[in-house]
């Protein structure tokens, strides 16, 4: 019985019955997303790993950069990058 419930909860199975279903599900989704393969902005390989809170490094080219806590690029950062690119295009 314990093995079946752990396979459904993913990484949040370590919390057992504590903290509620929704909180455990959110943690499981965040951690699964954090552990996915991420693309390096410098060399383009899928070998970016989280080194610390907001610190990401490529395992292939050793490029280190700051990003979000759980994702290398945050949605707000992507929006800012798009608006900067659009502003630079308007100047030309």
């Amino acid at each position: 019985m314990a093995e079946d419930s752990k396979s459904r909860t993913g990484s949040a199975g370590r919390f057992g019955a504590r903290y509620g279903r929704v909180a455990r599900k959110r943690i499981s989704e965040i951690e699964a997303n954090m552990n996915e393969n991420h693309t390096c902005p410098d060399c383009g390989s899928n070998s970016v790993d989280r080194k610390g809170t907001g610190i990401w490094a490529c395992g292939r080219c050793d490029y280190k950069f700051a990003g979000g806590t759980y994702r290398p690029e945050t949605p707000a950062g992507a929006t800012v990058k798009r608006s900067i690119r659009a502003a630079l295009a308007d100047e030309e």
Side-chain angles (χ1 to χ4, degrees):
M1 187 72 172
E3 291 296 319
D4 183 43
S5 65
K6 187 164 184 160
S7 66
R8 282 185 303 202
T9 57
S11 65
R14 65 184 184 270
F15 297 126
R18 298 182 301 268
Y19 311 117
R21 181 184 64 86
V22 175
R24 289 193 313 269
K25 185 173 180 180
R26 282 186 189 153
I27 288 173
S28 182
E29 289 172 358
I30 288 169
E31 288 178 347
N33 202 347
M34 181 177 70
N35 293 323
E36 284 179 354
N37 291 330
H38 300 288
T39 305
C40 176
D42 193 43
C43 69
S45 68
N46 284 333
S47 57
V48 172
D49 291 322
R50 181 178 183 240
K51 298 300 176 187
T53 304
I55 301 171
W56 298 83
C58 178
R60 183 170 168 227
C61 67
D62 288 333
Y63 179 71
K64 289 185 182 176
F65 60 98
T69 302
Y70 303 111
R71 304 247 335 135
E73 185 177 31
T74 62
T79 303
V80 169
K81 191 183 286 187
R82 272 195 310 270
S83 56
I84 289 172
R85 197 174 298 138
L88 290 175
D90 288 344
E91 290 178 1
E92 294 175 357

